[in-house]
């Protein structure tokens, strides 16, 4: 029995207490470019941030907000400009955004988080943004058309959403998430924004520890191009309106809640990987038989990040030598002589050596929407999974002309 | 005054005592695929090897050869099959190649080095290869048509060669080199073979220490796609036939010899970067003002390896945000607020913030054959340079169909 149910029409506003909205404020030419999630009550909150040294202004401001009381009542997100590489003026702009939103909602400044995504090194157009905030506060609703999920996109080709329902103390608790990804996606919080809402009753510190553990195995295990951005964040808000007994690791339903939360993060991460810039395929790399968990993660990420592996999969070429090679440079201490490699369940190398396989069949399997690469080192019990996408002409096209 | 002269018609056989040859043995369909450098006398030798865990059989065998006496009299190189991921049989094949070459030349086995480049996971066609060796020993000469440099190529579009002359004890000492690169090029000895000959008198241990130091700042500072291969090696042989007083760091002409040797390695490395698969431009990244040398190297490599930076340069887009971003994720401990960035000598960001610049002019400069990116952190005295190439449609094309 699965510990939770997956909603067929996911919405970030399904958990009790949340409204959202996305509008066109004029930061981009035509598309929606400004959005917010608003909670009726102060929600317990936690977040993880990019490890890039050059953190964008909104990352700094959101950190300050959450650190103060570990509570949030609104998140404002714009696309178009990343407000990164913008120095003191950029920081002031992020503060002004937060302040105006707080003012409009009549809540303390530090109950507002801000996030930006788009071009680095351009200032926010503050007049348009501030005018947009008024509209946003007026119009925020159950957002049946998912305008929020759309307003946060850049080169993404589809909005990323997920919603699950889990039983806690015999009543339904909801967890929902939206995300944006596309370029600059790499382990350790790359250009990627994720927003998760839940109506569960759960303390901010529990929420933070759950988020950190889960992000490590989900968002941090995806790679589109190896570039970690300046702006990445995943924010979770828990309204507590489901009224369950507070969730902690000793709660009898904790494992269900944890599994549901993990699914939400993993599903958003996979949707991001699948929608990598120019991608035609989702690649899932499963590493087994490693002596340490961190090593398994490192190898899985190296394989899924290898341009040569990614280009071979785009070309539907079962070139397992490149997989072996990526495994080799990511883990110099492993012995290659025990390594087995499968591509979409067909064994292509055993104990580090070629085995005969049906090339036509594997080439066919490589044309599927999802390609699974399994590497077993037979040198321990640890495993890890990473997700990525193929490297295509369109990736080059999109990134050769992003600003123009 | 330059410490050395650059030869206009470089040849690996210019230093006294060396002959070379490249032939078509049938390992590839049509092109030259087997070559050798042969020395009239046992040459003092040193090499550096890939750090990939999965070292190809020829790498293991060459290590054994050089370790025995630190001398080499022949290097046999094939293209077509990498003899990597081929287990015990592959190792036996490499040994058999070495043995047959030694037999034909009437020298000890360990005076022969072997190197392979090509597809991973395919066995060498030993009948063709061994038959080819006889031809090679017969035909090796001053190789006026540079058949050796051609026989070692895979997806390279041109042979890489360099030759310099340096005065030692008032007489001319020659140093020459050839290399192959193309895909799978990355710091720490990626798919790349380099062969350097000199007639200098220099002890094997001095040669090894000079090679290691120099490789660190040249071959290890180039990146085409971030993948370290299983087969990389740089081998240097010194015949000693110039008859100079033995070169050591206290020799009065040491600094000249060192500068000449550095130039040879750097020039080969740059030619490899320039000829990265599908490349249209050479990218040179100069990092200055870092607190530590290793950090400067790490940042330079991260910038030159960033798919986003590489694609932007292909698109002639002065998107300095991506440069800042790559610098940021490679050095989380640096303060962004002091960072200046120039593209081909035009300042585009100062103290981590945008400065107005002539976009059209920079776009024009980005269309040049060489693009220089300068990043100054103003946080120390250390500097480093890295080389790479742009990411293009052709890279994807070549690597989506390498085996077919």
């Amino acid at each position: 029995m699965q510990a939770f149910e997956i909603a067929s029409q996911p919405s970030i506003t399904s958990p009790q207490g949340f409204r959202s909205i996305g509008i066109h404020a004029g930061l981009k030419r035509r598309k929606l470019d400004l959005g917010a999630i608003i909670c009726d009550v102060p929600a317990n909150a936690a977040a993880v941030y990019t490890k890039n040294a050059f953190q964008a202004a909104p990352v700094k401001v959101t950190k300050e907000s959450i650190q103060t009381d570990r509570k949030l009542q609104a998140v404002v997100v714009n696309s178009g400009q990343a407000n990164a590489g913008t120095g003191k003026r950029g920081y002031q702009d992020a503060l002004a955004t937060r302040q105006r939103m707080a003012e409009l909602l009549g809540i303390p400044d530090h109950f507002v988080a801000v996030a930006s995504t788009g071009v680095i090194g351009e200032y926010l157009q503050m007049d348009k943004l501030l005018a947009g905030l008024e509209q946003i506060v007026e119009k925020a609703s159950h957002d049946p058309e998912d305008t929020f999920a759309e307003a946060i996109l850049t080169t993404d080709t589809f909005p990323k959403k997920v919603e699950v329902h889990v039983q806690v103390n015999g009543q339904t608790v909801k967890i929902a998430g939206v995300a944006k990804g596309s370029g600059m996606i790499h382990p350790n919080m790359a250009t990627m924004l994720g927003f998760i809402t839940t109506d569960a009753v759960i303390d901010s510190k529990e929420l933070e520890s759950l988020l950190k553990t889960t992000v490590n195995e989900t968002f941090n295990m995806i790679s589109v191009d190896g570039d970690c951005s300046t702006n990445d964040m995943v924010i979770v808000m828990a309204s507590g309106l489901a009224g369950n007994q507070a969730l902690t690791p000793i709660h009898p339903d904790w494992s269900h809640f944890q599994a549901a939360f993990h699914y939400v993060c993993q599903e958003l991460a996979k949707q991001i990987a699948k929608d990598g810039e120019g991608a035609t395929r989702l690649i899932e790399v499963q590493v087994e038989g490693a002596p340490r968990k961190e090593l398994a993660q490192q190898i899985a990420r190296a394989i899924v990040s290898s341009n040569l592996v990614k280009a071979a999969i785009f070309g539907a070429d079962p070139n397992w030598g490149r997989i072996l090679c990526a495994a080799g440079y990511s883990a110099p201490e492993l012995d290659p002589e025990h390594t087995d490699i499968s591509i979409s369940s067909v064994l292509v190398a055993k104990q580090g050596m070629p085995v005969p396989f049906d090339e036509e069949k594997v080439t066919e399997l490589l044309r599927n929407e999802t390609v699974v690469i399994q590497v077993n080192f037979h040198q321990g019990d640890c495993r890890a999974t990473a997700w990525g996408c193929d490297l295509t002409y369109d990736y080059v096209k999109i990134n050769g002309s992003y600003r123009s």
Side-chain angles (χ1 to χ4, degrees), chain A:
Chain A
M1 192 200 86
Q2 205 170 18
F4 52 87
E5 268 173 39
I6 299 158
S8 58
Q9 299 278 338
S11 164
I12 190 90
T13 62
S14 287
Q16 294 175 60
F18 294 95
R19 288 172 293 146
S20 71
I21 180 76
I23 64 162
H24 174 71
L27 308 175
K28 293 202 279 200
R29 224 171 311 166
R30 271 187 305 270
K31 292 183 181 169
L32 303 192
D33 52 21
L34 187 67
I37 303 171
I38 300 170
C39 189
D40 297 339
V41 296
N44 287 336
V48 288
Y49 311 93
T50 178
K51 289 178 182 155
N52 195 302
F54 299 157
Q55 297 197 339
V59 174
K60 292 180 198 165
V61 168
T62 293
K63 255 187 198 172
E64 289 165 17
S65 282
I66 294 182
Q67 271 166 5
T68 314
D69 262 344
R70 294 172 178 270
K71 283 190 192 298
L72 286 179
Q73 206 165 340
V75 185
V76 177
V77 191
N78 78 278
S79 56
Q81 294 83 41
N83 194 12
T86 46
K88 290 208 177 86
R89 179 170 150 194
Y91 179 70
Q92 293 302 335
D93 288 347
L95 278 183
T97 307
R98 179 175 83 160
Q99 192 182 6
R100 180 64 184 143
M101 188 66 175
E103 200 175 72
L104 287 166
L105 291 170
I107 57 176
D109 281 11
H110 66 268
F111 278 13
V112 178
V114 289
S116 299
T117 176
V119 179
I120 297 177
E122 286 182 8
Y123 296 113
L124 291 174
Q125 301 171 58
M126 287 304 290
D127 48 340
K128 294 179 181 169
L129 194 150
L130 293 177
L133 291 182
E134 293 187 32
Q135 269 193 70
I136 274 182
V137 170
E138 235 170 69
K139 292 187 184 168
S141 71
H142 281 288
D143 199 9
E145 285 170 21
D146 270 326
T147 53
F148 175 77
E150 215 174 291
I152 67 176
L153 304 182
T154 52
T155 49
D156 304 64
T157 66
F158 60 84
K160 285 93 192 154
K161 324 179 239 186
V162 59
E163 179 187 335
V164 301
H165 300 170
V166 56
Q167 298 300 308
V168 176
N169 301 129
Q171 67 202 85
T172 299
V173 162
K174 293 178 179 176
I175 311 174
V178 300
K180 66 96 27 191
S182 219
M184 276 206 201
I185 300 299
H186 194 65
N188 294 324
M189 301 303 309
T191 295
M192 201 206 68
L193 297 174
F195 305 99
I196 300 168
T197 57
T198 177
D199 44 22
V201 178
I202 179 170
D203 176 77
S204 301
K205 288 195 180 170
E206 291 297 354
L207 203 56
E208 187 183 14
S209 127
L210 177 63
L211 179 67
K212 282 191 174 165
T213 316
T214 312
V215 162
N216 234 5
E217 299 189 343
T218 55
F219 289 108
N220 281 351
M221 291 303 289
I222 58 174
S223 175
V224 168
D225 56 19
D227 278 29
C228 282
S229 102
T230 50
N231 289 58
D232 306 347
M233 276 193 272
V234 178
I235 298 178
V236 52
M237 290 189 280
S239 72
L241 296 178
N244 56 283
Q245 194 190 342
L247 280 156
T248 70
I250 56 167
H251 189 291
D253 293 322
W254 175 257
S255 66
H256 291 171
F257 182 73
Q258 192 183 26
F261 191 81
H262 191 281
Y263 179 84
V264 166
C265 291
Q266 178 171 309
E267 191 56 29
L268 292 176
K270 283 170 73 170
Q271 289 182 32
I272 289 169
K274 187 174 180 173
D275 194 25
E277 282 171 345
T280 66
R281 285 175 204 115
L282 175 67
I283 306 174
E284 177 166 322
V285 176
Q286 302 171 354
V287 167
E288 292 170 67
R292 291 177 294 111
K293 175 86 178 171
E294 299 70 37
L295 192 65
Q297 289 185 319
Q298 185 177 312
I299 298 166
R301 281 194 296 237
I303 296 171
V304 93
S305 304
S306 158
N307 275 356
L308 287 170
V309 170
K310 290 152 62 86
I313 289 175
F314 171 59
D317 175 5
N319 193 329
W320 60 268
R322 295 181 180 171
I323 300 168
L324 188 83
C325 185
Y329 63 73
S330 61
E333 69 265 48
L334 284 188
D335 180 352
E337 309 221 333
H338 304 286
T339 311
D340 299 341
I341 300 176
S342 300
I343 297 175
S344 294
S345 297
V346 178
L347 189 72
V348 293
K350 196 168 169 58
Q351 302 194 320
M353 284 187 287
V355 291
F357 62 90
D358 182 342
E359 286 227 11
E360 267 181 50
K361 184 181 159 195
V362 176
T363 301
E364 264 317 294
L365 289 170
L366 282 170
R367 295 194 203 284
N368 287 347
E369 209 171 80
T370 301
V371 170
V372 179
I373 294 172
Q374 286 166 304
V375 182
N376 194 331
F377 290 93
H378 297 291
Q379 287 169 68
D381 294 324
C382 295
R383 56 176 66 214
T385 305
W387 297 270
C389 59
D390 54 345
L391 177 64
T392 68
Y393 297 120
D394 279 351
Y395 176 86
V396 178
K397 187 172 175 184
I398 292 164
N399 286 299
S401 59
Y402 177 57
R403 300 191 329 154
S404 31

